Amino acid sequence: MRAYGIKVLTFFSHYSVKMHFKLDIAYFSGHSGYMEILFLGVGEACDERCPNTSLHIVTGKGSRFLLDCGFTTPHRYFAYCADANELDCVWISHFHGDHFFGIPLLLLRFWEMGRGKSLFVAGPSGVKEKVEAAMELAYPAFMPRLQYDVDFLEIEPGTEWHVNGADWRTAENIHSERSLALRIDDGEHSLFYSGDGRFTRETLSLAKGCDLAVHEAFWLKKEVVNHGNIVSCLEFADKAAVKHLAVVHVQRNCRRDERNEILQLMRSSPVSA
């Protein structure tokens, strides 16, 4: 597969980006030929301007996935989607608040809207216990009142799951909390999402040849143990031969103070970033 078109539409007032990748492949009857990626947020945990990093995905086959659901995500999601039954699955990369503390509100709002369709919640081992504990803290005794089923999937490295017409595989990053990168293949398109953390040999292998890699980078060049930086992300994308790279989760002061250097570095990169 070779990506030949990219359309980017930026909503500055909401700090969201909508990207479409169209591939020169044979489309199945009824398929749009697009994978749609809506960036509900691109910020780190303490960012007052950009909401927490979260992606809404519509595959070429029409499945809808939410990748990470932090503090700010539900409000951004429901500003975009008014259909309680539309979302098929939520992915939680790891159990830091800016990546999963929005789950209780998401589940509550679906209940309020009358959702009847089962919802998959996928993540590392322990995802069921973590989500149920968060729900109990936020809205005690409310989980049994949901009128829809919540089905939990533990998608660990070395396993592959078929979720709503797409294949999901994971690999482990280097982060202070165990964090899994995710690759989604829908038969026409492929997306890699790092979650948080520095890349590893396993995540590099997972990302090989994908259409879009979305990777966190906390600093421009500074090396820290548990996060990537923009320079290393560009090297990662080049080594993995990804077609496009989106960098997210940049430290808020770095993004402001080093913006020009960041843009210059990305424009000079051989990777479409």
Side-chain angles (χ1 to χ4, degrees), residues 161-174:
W161 287 77
H162 195 67
V163 182
N164 288 88
D167 294 322
W168 289 37
R169 291 180 291 142
T170 66
E172 190 168 343
N173 285 315
I174 299 171

Side-chain angles (χ1 to χ4, degrees), residues 20-215:
H20 292 77
F21 296 86
K22 187 173 182 180
L23 307 183
D24 55 342
I25 59 175
Y27 303 134
F28 295 108
S29 177
H31 293 173
S32 67
Y34 284 88
M35 176 180 279
E36 179 183 286
I37 301 98
L38 175 66
F39 288 75
L40 297 174
V42 296
E44 37 96 351
C46 301
D47 199 318
E48 72 279 9
R49 291 187 173 273
C50 292
N52 302 147
T53 296
S54 178
L55 281 64
H56 180 268
I57 311 300
V58 183
T59 70
K61 298 177 182 179
S63 297
R64 294 175 181 266
F65 306 136
L66 181 65
L67 307 188
D68 276 339
C69 186
F71 311 113
T72 63
T73 300
H75 298 102
R76 296 301 310 124
Y77 175 80
F78 290 112
Y80 168 70
C81 178
D83 184 345
N85 291 301
E86 194 171 76
L87 189 65
D88 294 303
C89 183
V90 183
W91 164 254
I92 304 300
S93 64
H94 64 294
F95 303 121
H96 278 161
D98 56 315
H99 291 263
F100 97 108
F101 271 7
I103 283 281
L105 181 55
L106 187 80
L107 300 182
L108 177 72
R109 176 71 181 266
F110 280 150
W111 168 84
E112 183 189 74
M113 295 169 72
R115 182 183 176 105
K117 174 181 168 182
S118 296
L119 178 69
F120 287 109
V121 177
S125 297
V127 63
K128 181 178 187 291
E129 292 77 11
K130 290 287 189 179
V131 168
E132 288 180 344
M135 190 69 176
E136 185 62 22
L137 283 171
Y139 304 105
F142 210 94
M143 196 82 176
R145 296 177 58 188
L146 300 178
Q147 301 116 322
Y148 57 94
D149 293 330
V150 180
D151 298 318
F152 293 95
L153 303 174
E154 294 185 349
I155 305 182
E156 284 289 323
T159 65
E160 183 172 319
W161 287 77
H162 195 67
V163 182
N164 288 88
D167 294 322
W168 289 37
R169 291 180 291 142
T170 66
E172 190 168 343
N173 285 315
I174 299 171
H175 193 47
S176 55
E177 166 78 13
R178 186 167 184 263
S179 178
L180 297 184
L182 172 69
R183 178 175 179 138
I184 298 175
D185 289 279
D186 69 1
E188 302 175 44
H189 324 90
S190 53
L191 168 73
F192 171 90
Y193 172 62
S194 70
D196 275 4
R198 298 176 66 171
F199 74 84
T200 62
R201 181 176 59 186
E202 291 76 19
T203 63
L204 181 64
S205 177
L206 186 68
K208 285 282 186 181
C210 69
D211 298 302
L212 172 66
V214 180
H215 209 294

